[in-house]
Amino acid sequence: MKRIGILTSGGDCQGLNAAIRGVAKSLYEYYGEKNLNIYGIRDGYRGLIYGDYHLMKRDNFSGILTVGGTILGTSRQPFKLIKNNDIGNIDRIECMINNYKKMKLDCLVIMGGNGTHKTANLLSQEGLNIVTLPKTIDNDLWGTDITFGFQSAVNVATNVLDCIHTTASSHSRVFIIELMGHKAGWLTLHAGLAGGADIILIPEIPYDVKSIIDTMNERSLKYKKFSIIVIAEGAMSKEYFKLSKKEQKEKRKQSHFPSVSYELANEISNLSKQEIKVTVPGHVQRGGSPCPFDRVLSTRFGAAAADLIINEKYGYMVAWVNNSIKSVLLNEVAGKLKLVPKDSIDVKTARNVGVSFGD
Ligand code: F6P
């Protein structure tokens, strides 16, 4: 009897259920229903810590390919908390190992982003058999060219830009659209390119407000009276970028603006005397059905994870590199971020077609 556990951890995204289905169906195909027990672990690492899991049936994995969110539930369990025994007086790592043993697992499949992979690597180092799948709308996971969830979020965000475009154009207004991505600007860059943004602001390229206003003014004099600025939630001005992490935190605490886009709108309208509209789609970007690209990618990743299990190749994350499936060692992935290179093809392309990065 093969016993496999599955959990989804961190922020949800489109394609999680498709990936769960991909793993389960491939395993059922190989081992047969009678020789396989799959345990669904509720709410990510929380379920593994507190023993919240249940035996699933083949039927549970049917009809979920197109469904958004995760049928297993998820939660954020920061790595710092996982390692801190003082909070709540429990050894979370020991609890997770004990529950893994209680289920008599041959392998635990973990789907998650950056934080999730730090804990997955730690569990692997503790001797558990772990296989992971890369998920996040941020696409900032090191070791894979693309994560599932990203393309669906780009689709949602692009749709927002398309909708704003028509009203911005009718009213000759300037709009700021704030997209998700604290550390990496992949989502903002791709949606910005796909939605024809005039100014793209990402965390990797600090901006200068005056340069943004110059671009807006130049546009309104020479081309169009409206402008679309798309900004990642973690984008920062050049002055802010120069501050230490501690000073940045302090400044954020003192700010009375709900987020970076409102702060930027205020600065631009103070300096340019123009009214600026702000749109923040927020968690809409993570919601709804996965796009066909993500359904395929999640299924590929799911089947590849099952292959690793069948071949007893543990301690790896499945990845998409140079248009093919690869597996990357967890200790190479954990703790590393994949940021947008300033000279990436898409930054260059955007600049070629006249997009400003506010730098
Ligand atoms: O999971 C990634 C992400 O959507 C980021 O883009 C965003 O900054 C964050 O999660 C939001 O987290 P939460 O859902 O916990 O508010």
Side-chain angles (χ1 to χ4, degrees), residues 83-129:
K83 289 209 316 183
N84 192 337
N85 297 352
D86 296 337
I87 305 172
N89 261 335
I90 58 161
D91 185 331
R92 291 173 179 76
I93 299 164
E94 197 178 279
C95 291
M96 288 196 278
I97 295 172
N98 286 343
N99 282 316
Y100 177 100
K101 286 183 182 158
K102 251 191 219 164
M103 284 181 271
K104 297 194 178 92
L105 295 183
D106 292 292
C107 179
L108 171 62
V109 177
I110 298 174
M111 307 190 184
N114 276 302
T116 299
H117 274 80
K118 287 191 206 162
T119 303
N121 183 41
L122 190 127
L123 292 176
S124 171
Q125 284 168 347
E126 290 287 338
L128 306 193
N129 294 334

Side-chain angles (χ1 to χ4, degrees), residues 65 76 139 180 319:
L65 175 66
R76 290 198 187 277
N139 195 35
M180 279 184 164

